[in-house]
Amino acid sequence: MLSAEHVLSLLTDEASEEHAIQMQSFFKTGKGDYGEGDIFWGIRVPIQRAIAKKVWRKLAPDQWQILMEHPVHEVRLTALFILTNWYKAAKNEREKEQYVQWYIDYRSYINNWDLVDTSAHKVLGDWFWDKDRSLLMDWVGSQDLWEVRIAVITTYRFIKRGDYSSTLWLASQLLTHPHDLIHKAVGWMLREVGKMEEEVLLEFLNQHYRLMPRTMLRYAIERLDEPLRKAYLLGEVKN
């Protein structure tokens, strides 16, 4: 079985100081920003995916937590790629539940938008598809930005399976959320609903669009016909 140290060695071999500086700016790691204090080694995502693919079958389960608790962003993202692979390959519900519980227990380390967006729907979205979703409903009221985003992005899997109820309920609760990362996430999920059934999106928009933050609205209407997009932006669509 492989150790966490082995995975860290593979990752550090791919580090780039120049790219790390770019990523620290891109992910807003400055004082007061949403990613304040996050550390980057400058490893590109395709390389992280390749390393996760190389090691996930051999990594000792008790080593995963070491990676997930690591202060470096790319290590945590690689840990989530590994967990996602484990979840997909699980032989039974008991194994899946274990990985879901790990995801929930270590969610405080899932603390930037890419960490959330590459994993939440693949693990929690699949698991909660046919189960009680009250935990997600609770997270929508969290003071933790990332818990809220996890709840929203988790519903991506539901949308792809034709169930929009959780997405629409969460969206209705987040119309006044103060952070643009939640506005973007909600708008994105609403846009995905519209890809599946435009009439469902339009019904939601007609009821709520005047209250929606501008960013949320722009994301949600991105794929609509130009005249209709303009009408929503100008406030000319009647309820």
Side-chain angles (χ1 to χ4, degrees):
M1 301 294 282
L2 297 180
S3 66
E5 286 73 17
H6 179 82
V7 179
L8 291 172
S9 177
L10 294 175
L11 288 168
T12 54
D13 285 346
E14 301 291 345
S16 165
E17 184 175 350
E18 180 181 357
H19 189 55
I21 293 171
Q22 295 173 357
M23 299 308 287
Q24 285 167 349
S25 175
F26 183 72
F27 283 101
K28 308 295 185 185
T29 61
K31 185 172 179 59
D33 290 333
Y34 62 75
E36 180 178 352
D38 209 354
I39 301 169
F40 287 82
W41 279 345
I43 307 166
R44 298 185 184 279
V45 172
I47 294 174
Q48 295 173 64
R49 289 188 185 277
I51 290 173
K53 185 176 180 180
K54 182 178 181 180
V55 305
W56 73 270
R57 289 185 176 88
K58 299 178 182 178
L59 182 70
D62 63 356
Q63 297 295 290
W64 180 83
Q65 289 88 346
I66 297 172
L67 299 176
M68 196 64 222
E69 293 177 346
H70 201 277
V72 171
H73 185 104
E74 293 97 332
V75 178
R76 300 196 304 280
L77 183 55
T78 301
L80 288 169
F81 290 150
I82 291 169
L83 185 69
T84 300
N85 285 330
W86 281 348
Y87 180 86
K88 288 179 180 178
K91 299 181 180 66
N92 52 55
E93 287 288 287
R94 182 186 60 78
E95 284 188 12
K96 285 187 174 183
E97 185 174 14
Q98 178 187 46
Y99 300 136
V100 168
Q101 193 59 55
W102 285 2
Y103 193 101
I104 293 170
D105 290 346
Y106 285 83
R107 68 187 182 278
S108 63
Y109 298 95
I110 307 172
N111 57 355
N112 217 314
W113 59 264
D114 63 322
L115 303 177
V116 174
D117 295 0
T118 57
S119 62
H121 60 294
K122 294 178 180 179
V123 179
L124 300 188
D126 184 82
W127 178 256
F128 284 114
W129 163 249
D130 58 355
K131 297 177 179 65
D132 176 29
R133 302 174 185 175
S134 58
L135 180 63
L136 304 177
M137 307 304 117
D138 290 342
W139 283 351
V140 79
S142 174
Q143 297 302 306
D144 186 303
L145 171 68
W146 305 115
E147 279 189 349
V148 180
R149 188 161 176 124
I150 288 170
V152 173
I153 302 302
T154 291
T155 70
Y156 192 14
R157 184 58 56 93
F158 308 158
I159 294 168
K160 290 300 183 182
R161 293 178 176 176
D163 179 357
Y164 319 122
S165 59
S166 294
T167 305
L168 298 176
W169 185 85
L170 289 171
S172 71
Q173 301 303 302
L174 292 168
L175 295 172
T176 59
H177 195 279
H179 206 289
D180 73 328
L181 283 178
I182 301 303
H183 305 167
K184 291 174 181 178
V186 172
W188 171 23
M189 291 301 102
L190 289 173
R191 185 176 72 230
E192 294 301 321
V193 170
K195 287 181 184 179
M196 299 289 287
E197 289 190 46
E198 188 171 292
E199 286 304 315
V200 175
L201 170 61
L202 295 180
E203 183 178 354
F204 182 88
L205 290 175
N206 291 348
Q207 183 176 356
H208 298 291
Y209 86 97
R210 295 181 187 275
L211 300 175
M212 293 171 70
R214 204 66 168 175
T215 297
M216 186 187 296
L217 178 60
R218 286 186 180 277
Y219 271 60
I221 66 177
E222 191 174 75
R223 291 176 59 88
L224 299 180
D225 292 338
E226 181 65 17
L228 186 54
R229 285 209 314 273
K230 286 185 176 180
Y232 277 118
L233 291 172
L234 293 172
E236 296 173 348
V237 177
K238 296 182 179 179
N239 295 349

